[in-house]
Amino acid sequence: MAAEDPATRRVQVAEHPRLLKLKEMFNSKFGSTPKFYVRAPGRVNIIGEHIDYCGYSVIPMAVEQDMLIAVEPVKTHTLQLANTDPLYPDFSTTANNICIDKTKPLWHNYFLCGFKGIQEHFGLSKLPGMNCLVDGNIPPSSGLSSSSALVCCAGLVTLTVLGLRLSKVELAEICAKSERYIGTEGGGMDQSISFLAEEGTAKLIEFSPLRATNVKLPSGAVFVIANSCMEMNKAATSHFNVRVMECRLAAKVLAKHKGLQWDNVLRLEEVQSKLGISLEEMLLVTEDALHPEPYSREEICRCLGISLERLRTQILTPNTQDGESSGQRIA
């Protein structure tokens, strides 16, 4: 398992056109020179679509496209964030008391997620400031995890500025948790592969505990990743969280049906583990306990023995609280 520290290496900026261009733009923006650069790749998933947040294993691999950040620590307590893409405006804030507006998935909020995740992990109250220039070549909202790559990049930037150390696994877990500051209820696949990827191999990512195993790809295999130019910003709509919530409610209803303590259950894999059954047996239990037709909120409440108010305020996330039902179906 790749649990070591994130790799660092010395490079001659002049030998890398992208780094050289980023350095020149940084100097133009901030009037100074970056002290270091941080990179985090995007990803494509091969097997296991939308099951990481259910606790089940996935097989993703990193792509060449990435997020790259040029960084200069400063003596003030101010974060100054800029982007090489003029579509994303500059942003400045104090490095202390970071507030992230879940209702506005602006680009800089993803950086703040990674920053705040490291801050809270170490329980720090006063952090130094920094100037950062972000350059990304992952098509935004394309399903290649540009947002998670930015969160990961920001987490690693913050860790480096503070002079602290964490393993790749610890960083992945922190960044997966911290991306929820912006309202996305992801499962951790994107952040895990961004840190744990290795050249020439896909990874079997397993959870609880997080671990990664090399998956040898067929000799001569070529993966073609085509950009459809259709965009979906997970944090800007409720679609992603509705799907997560449907699975979460399914897990709770299954747990209640089987006489388990369901209140704290969040993932279907938890139910399977508590029942001590195989995946095949879990499928049979699911087919027996849940009907294929959509569940209304009232029916979910009857199944769990709770009020609509408790469902809305204690179980549903803010962007899944409204509407006629929790989604189209929970199974």
Side-chain angles (χ1 to χ4, degrees):
M1 178 176 69
E4 69 275 8
D5 294 350
T8 60
R9 60 174 175 168
R10 289 189 171 276
V11 298
Q12 293 296 323
V13 173
E15 297 176 3
H16 297 268
R18 188 175 170 206
L19 284 180
L20 182 59
K21 182 179 179 181
L22 189 59
K23 177 183 177 181
E24 292 171 348
M25 292 183 70
F26 189 99
N27 183 266
S28 177
K29 172 66 68 173
F30 298 112
S32 54
T33 301
K35 295 299 184 289
F36 63 90
Y37 303 84
V38 168
R39 173 185 180 270
R43 67 98 186 101
V44 64
N45 192 28
I46 302 173
I47 299 175
E49 205 66 16
H50 287 280
I51 61 172
D52 59 324
Y53 50 71
C54 293
Y56 289 110
S57 305
V58 290
I59 303 182
M61 63 181 181
V63 294
E64 292 180 354
Q65 288 74 20
D66 59 23
M67 285 291 172
L68 186 64
I69 304 182
V71 187
E72 177 195 24
V74 294
K75 294 181 179 179
T76 67
H77 295 282
T78 301
L79 286 178
Q80 293 197 81
L81 309 178
N83 200 301
T84 59
D85 189 333
L87 289 176
Y88 304 110
D90 294 355
F91 177 79
S92 178
T93 186
T94 174
N96 303 309
N97 301 315
I98 293 294
C99 295
I100 299 172
D101 189 348
K102 292 184 178 182
T103 66
K104 297 179 180 180
L106 302 173
W107 79 271
H108 61 259
N109 281 335
Y110 291 100
F111 185 99
L112 296 181
C113 284
F115 183 89
K116 185 175 181 179
I118 297 299
Q119 179 185 29
E120 294 199 344
H121 177 78
F122 287 101
L124 304 174
S125 57
K126 292 185 178 181
L127 273 71
M130 60 183 87
N131 297 331
C132 297
L133 179 60
V134 177
D135 180 60
N137 58 14
I138 308 171
S141 303
S142 63
L144 296 177
S145 295
S146 58
S147 56
S148 295
L150 180 52
V151 173
C152 291
C153 223
L156 188 51
V157 163
T158 309
L159 193 73
T160 305
V161 167
L162 294 173
L164 300 172
R165 296 180 66 179
L166 289 170
S167 70
K168 293 179 182 179
V169 167
E170 290 171 316
L171 266 171
E173 291 179 326
I174 291 168
C175 290
K177 178 181 178 182
S178 66
E179 191 165 334
R180 294 169 191 152
Y181 294 142
I182 207 168
T184 301
E185 296 289 321
M189 172 182 67
D190 301 349
Q191 300 82 4
S192 298
I193 192 61
S194 191
F195 281 118
L196 301 175
E198 295 181 68
E199 187 175 357
T201 180
K203 290 283 186 177
L204 170 64
I205 304 290
E206 301 172 272
F207 303 95
S208 302
L210 176 61
R211 53 205 185 277
T213 306
N214 287 349
V215 176
K216 185 177 181 180
L217 301 174
S219 177
V222 175
F223 289 83
V224 177
I225 303 167
N227 186 359
S228 68
C229 297
M230 295 293 291
E231 296 185 358
M232 171 61 76
N233 187 329
K234 290 188 294 187
T237 70
S238 64
H239 297 87
F240 182 86
N241 278 4
V242 164
R243 189 174 298 181
V244 175
M245 188 53 58
E246 289 169 347
C247 294
R248 187 173 297 176
L249 289 172
K252 291 181 180 295
V253 171
L254 275 176
K256 180 70 180 295
H257 178 78
K258 300 300 290 186
L260 302 174
Q261 186 66 39
W262 62 268
D263 300 66
N264 296 321
V265 168
L266 298 176
R267 295 177 291 275
L268 287 162
E269 191 279 333
E270 291 179 59
V271 179
Q272 180 186 338
S273 179
K274 290 178 184 296
L275 292 175
I277 58 178
S278 67
L279 182 59
E280 290 74 17
E281 291 170 323
M282 180 66 173
L283 290 172
L284 294 175
V285 168
T286 302
E287 291 174 356
D288 176 65
L290 303 176
H291 59 68
E293 297 79 25
Y295 281 69
S296 67
R297 295 189 178 206
E298 290 75 13
E299 184 178 6
I300 292 170
C301 289
R302 287 196 299 272
C303 291
L304 298 178
I306 61 174
S307 66
L308 279 169
E309 180 63 14
R310 182 181 173 188
L311 175 68
R312 191 184 72 83
T313 60
Q314 297 183 26
I315 298 178
L316 300 181
T317 57
N319 66 349
T320 62
Q321 289 177 352
D322 299 324
E324 180 62 27
S325 69
S326 62
Q328 289 304 303
R329 61 185 68 225
I330 65 169

